[in-house]
Amino acid sequence: MLNVLVSGGSRGIGRALVELLAEQGYRVHFLYRCRDDAAAEVVETVRGRGGDARAHRCDVTDAGAVDAFLAGVAGEEIYALVNNAATLRDGHFLLMDSDRWNVVVDTVLTAAYRLTKGCLRSMLHAGRGRVVNVGSLSGQVGQAGQANYAAAKGGLHAFTKALAREVGRYGVTVNAVVPGWIETDLVATLSEDHRARAIASVPLGRFGKPHEVARVVSFLLSDAASYITGATVRVDGGVGS
Ligand code: NDP
């Protein structure tokens, strides 16, 4: 059974991904920050369907916690890593204090550095592996009020391309998936007005569902994607086209 690690697997896109990958026969380890009830519900759902999902409470901004998690799975080959965890602290740049900046950069970018470093050795040793980074349009074209998030996601996109060039010859692929507006807690806070304007901007005329992103990540982990690396795949209903 191949092991996959998903950061931020207790809700939203990560949850859909954990459920899909477990259904496809992977053993899925996932990390979450604090919502024990949500994580337990994911594990229960997966087990109820005969799958294997293992929840680990691990704040990816905490280097010690990440190291402890990685030590715990050190004996297992991690076939694939999906860097999905993220958080938002939007605001005008001049009012953005260093806490707001750091928590977003740490959750999105530095955590990807730590987790990838922790998993890559076993991938290189095995001569195979997949890394998928969940990016954002904000990291490609920018978004007012999201200087922290855009910078972190933009860094994640550049990290994807650089690492793909570095590890491709060892059988490891590294790709990015860029969701558009997806119905998760992350967008649930939008006002009705903002929501209506957002939907109007999407060529497909609706927000996406978490499983529509999960299916693309799962494709990138599959044999069908064996010759794809350094790619950025948009799953955005056409909004970024
Ligand atoms: P959600 O807010 O719904 O879920 C976030 C997940 O990440 C939760 O499982 C949460 O755990 C976990 N998480 C957050 N911070 C940490 C941390 N410090 N340590 C460990 N786990 C953490 O997010 P989405 O599903 O909406 O987003 C998933 C990805 O997709 C993100 O990378 C996001 O940037 C990207 N994206 C999403 C879009 C959208 O429209 N939804 C649009 C563009 C990109 P817990 O439950 O414990 O808080």
Side-chain angles (χ1 to χ4, degrees):
M1 192 179 253
L2 293 173
N3 291 298
V4 177
L5 171 59
V6 177
S7 72
S10 55
R11 291 184 289 117
I13 293 168
R15 176 183 179 152
L17 184 60
V18 170
E19 292 184 7
L20 178 63
L21 296 178
E23 205 175 292
Q24 293 174 339
Y26 294 97
R27 175 184 295 122
V28 191
H29 292 278
F30 71 88
L31 309 182
Y32 67 101
R33 179 182 40 187
C34 59
R35 303 212 187 164
D36 298 320
D37 51 341
E41 200 183 298
V42 178
V43 171
E44 205 175 306
T45 303
V46 166
R47 292 204 177 141
R49 294 174 187 161
D52 187 348
R54 301 174 186 200
H56 307 269
R57 183 177 176 137
C58 172
D59 183 336
V60 297
T61 66
D62 178 342
V66 172
D67 286 348
F69 164 74
L70 290 169
V73 293
E76 303 181 43
E77 176 198 338
I78 302 291
Y79 165 68
L81 164 67
V82 182
N83 288 306
N84 167 73
T87 194
L88 294 174
R89 294 291 189 282
D90 293 2
H92 293 294
F93 179 66
L94 284 179
L95 300 177
M96 192 177 281
D97 61 23
S98 58
D99 285 351
R100 277 188 179 204
W101 178 271
N102 289 336
V103 73
V104 173
V105 172
D106 286 353
T107 307
V108 170
L109 187 56
T110 311
Y113 154 77
R114 277 197 194 108
L115 289 169
T116 306
K117 208 165 180 194
C119 296
L120 196 58
R121 202 175 296 277
S122 88
M123 293 181 188
L124 298 185
H125 187 70
R128 64 177 182 181
R130 303 286 163 97
V131 178
V132 176
N133 297 318
V134 180
S136 165
L137 281 178
S138 187
Q140 294 186 309
V141 298
Q143 176 69 41
Q146 291 194 330
N148 47 3
Y149 183 74
K153 290 290 188 180
L156 194 62
H157 292 302
F159 171 63
T160 303
K161 290 183 182 300
L163 193 65
R165 289 183 183 279
E166 194 166 322
V167 300
R169 72 190 60 192
Y170 305 105
V172 177
T173 69
V174 189
N175 292 292
V177 167
V178 177
W181 292 101
I182 309 296
E183 296 272 13
T184 71
D185 294 344
L186 214 62
V187 302
T189 53
L190 296 181
S191 67
E192 272 309 307
D193 182 45
H194 193 168
R195 193 182 166 85
R197 275 186 283 121
I199 289 176
S201 73
V202 182
L204 286 182
R206 64 175 177 86
F207 283 172
K209 304 282 184 205
H211 73 263
E212 292 178 295
V213 180
R215 286 198 293 232
V216 176
V217 177
S218 129
F219 163 73
L220 290 170
L221 303 193
S222 73
D223 283 345
S226 53
Y227 202 57
I228 300 177
T229 197
T232 301
V233 184
R234 286 189 291 108
V235 188
D236 63 357
V239 80
S241 57

